[in-house]
Amino acid sequence: TDQKGLKLVELDEDGVDRAFRDDILAGLSQPQKATPARWLYDDAGSQLFEDITQIPEYYPTRAETEILRDRGDDFARHISPGSAVVEFGSGSSVKTPLLLQAIAPAAYVPLDISGDFLRASAAELSAKFPGLPVHPVEADFNRLVELPAEVRDLPKLGFFSGSTIGNMIAHTAVDLLRSMRGTLGEGAQLLIGMDLVKDRETLIAAYDDAGGVTAEFNRNLARRINRELDGTIPVDKLRHEARWNDLHARIEMHLVAEEAIEFSVCGKAFTMEEGETIHTENSHKFGRRSGNMLLLAGGWTPEERWTDAEGRYSVVLARA
Ligand code: AVI
């Protein structure tokens, strides 16, 4: 559920999601066609992402879960007792309980823009932790969020898992970190998952699995454009590609035209030459220093850091 809630839907007369249409038309009009990653997560895309978290090559979910499972004692030692856990996103049914179990918080506050996911996962957690006050807040956490009065005087622990921060370019990530700081207040702590730079083969395999699930996840965007924006993209002529961009330390997902194609979206004509791509996602990977630098730029001082046994993934504790 890491980022699928991040959409504010405003429909025009034809029932078209305006923000989606504007982003896609603008993105396809650039010399390097590029679309914001958030549009990958319609219902089908969200399900495909859930499937990705289970595939053998996609290590981040398993590595992060391992850390959350094994480092409970460390969390309990370093996180202020009696904190309110404020989760950015609706929470995962596996990872969130591991954290809550480890630190026995005073309250749990999931923040999500999608009320349905939010209520469903809040209900699930309430059932799992009967004594824990749960206060879901329907809000866009990219902006300042007013926390419920019940938790205002408690120490705060922000929780942002899944390395979703890696899907943002640095200035967007810094904006989000600063908003989180504003929402949680000075002195708050943040527990954040950050995927690590590693050998190219492991990274490419994680984003181009042999079973083709990630390819379907990527191509689903083109299908969604065809369905929702009256598009004529020949999806079968677009090949999924995962690229390592070393300058930016990120995996990029692209849809590559296998031959020259023409199509329209909302009545607007587009062409792609053979080999031309639509850049659909960035997934930045961090080193210890680059991860720390990003947090510092966002107003958070790193305090502790844990990695999985294979050193593929990190969970960082920082303080505002
Ligand atoms: C949600 N996000 C952290 C995933 C990632 O690893 O960047 C999205 C993803 N894209 C392809 N595979 C997974």
Side-chain angles (χ1 to χ4, degrees):
T1 61
D2 288 290
Q3 65 173 46
K4 52 192 174 187
L6 298 181
K7 67 175 179 207
L8 266 173
V9 184
E10 212 182 298
L11 303 179
D12 71 10
E13 322 76 53
D14 308 328
V16 173
D17 182 335
R18 242 179 259 171
F20 180 43
R21 182 194 58 204
D22 294 352
D23 275 359
I24 298 301
L25 290 179
L28 293 179
S29 304
Q30 299 174 143
Q32 167 63 68
K33 294 177 168 56
T35 52
R38 67 176 179 138
W39 301 116
L40 293 162
Y41 297 88
D42 63 348
D43 287 347
S46 299
Q47 184 52 56
L48 284 162
F49 176 64
E50 287 301 318
D51 297 344
I52 287 172
T53 65
Q54 307 296 320
I55 61 186
E57 297 96 326
Y58 191 76
Y59 62 85
T61 308
R62 277 190 308 281
E64 187 176 57
T65 305
E66 175 192 318
I67 298 166
L68 293 170
R69 181 169 294 135
D70 293 353
R71 299 304 187 145
D73 291 349
D74 292 342
F75 298 157
R77 222 182 1 260
H78 292 287
I79 292 166
S80 304
S83 288
V85 172
V86 178
E87 178 151 23
F88 296 94
S90 279
S92 119
S93 52
V94 177
K95 294 182 220 172
T96 308
L98 289 170
L99 176 65
L100 298 181
Q101 214 133 34
I103 66 169
Y108 173 62
V109 183
L111 308 181
D112 204 306
I113 204 163
S114 160
D116 293 341
F117 285 125
L118 184 66
R119 280 181 288 276
S121 83
E124 201 181 310
L125 275 158
S126 293
K128 242 182 216 160
F129 297 89
L132 178 69
V134 177
H135 307 284
V137 177
E138 195 171 338
D140 176 2
F141 61 68
N142 292 287
R143 317 225 168 103
L144 280 191
V145 178
E146 196 178 327
L147 295 177
E150 292 91 331
V151 305
R152 232 164 265 156
D153 296 328
L154 298 174
K156 311 288 186 309
L157 173 73
F159 183 43
F160 193 40
S161 69
S163 199
T164 301
I165 194 78
N167 294 128
M168 293 157 214
I169 58 168
H171 91 239
T172 314
V174 166
D175 283 351
L176 175 59
L177 289 165
R178 299 195 82 85
S179 291
M180 289 173 163
R181 192 183 196 279
T183 293
L184 298 174
E186 198 163 349
Q189 290 175 294
L190 176 68
L191 192 64
I192 182 167
M194 301 179 100
D195 193 16
L196 299 175
V197 173
K198 61 186 59 62
D199 67 277
R200 209 185 171 101
E201 290 67 38
T202 304
L203 285 168
I204 297 285
Y207 291 84
D208 191 6
D209 57 291
V213 183
T214 310
E216 277 318 291
F217 173 64
N218 196 6
R219 277 207 293 262
N220 177 60
L221 176 69
R223 284 200 201 92
R224 178 181 186 187
I225 293 170
N226 284 350
R227 200 174 50 245
E228 294 183 28
L229 301 178
D230 195 19
T232 61
I233 303 173
V235 180
D236 55 328
K237 304 232 166 78
L238 292 176
R239 177 172 52 79
H240 165 70
E241 191 172 294
R243 290 185 186 167
W244 173 248
N245 181 329
D246 198 58
L247 177 65
H248 290 276
R250 69 190 183 203
I251 286 283
E252 298 176 358
M253 289 206 312
H254 290 259
L255 289 167
V256 187
E258 293 194 298
E259 56 187 74
I261 54 175
E262 296 176 358
F263 57 89
S264 66
V265 176
C266 290
K268 194 169 172 201
F270 297 96
T271 60
M272 290 177 77
E273 319 242 299
E274 182 185 340
E276 193 182 338
T277 76
I278 308 172
H279 179 180
T280 53
E281 186 185 56
N282 291 315
S283 191
H284 293 85
K285 307 300 167 188
F286 303 95
R288 185 168 55 84
R289 290 194 176 88
S290 67
N292 285 348
M293 187 54 142
L294 186 71
L295 291 167
L296 287 162
W300 295 91
T301 305
E303 288 184 328
E304 298 292 330
R305 179 178 181 271
W306 299 277
T307 58
D308 61 306
E310 288 182 49
R312 296 167 298 183
Y313 192 94
S314 67
V315 171
V316 181
L317 182 67
R319 194 178 289 274

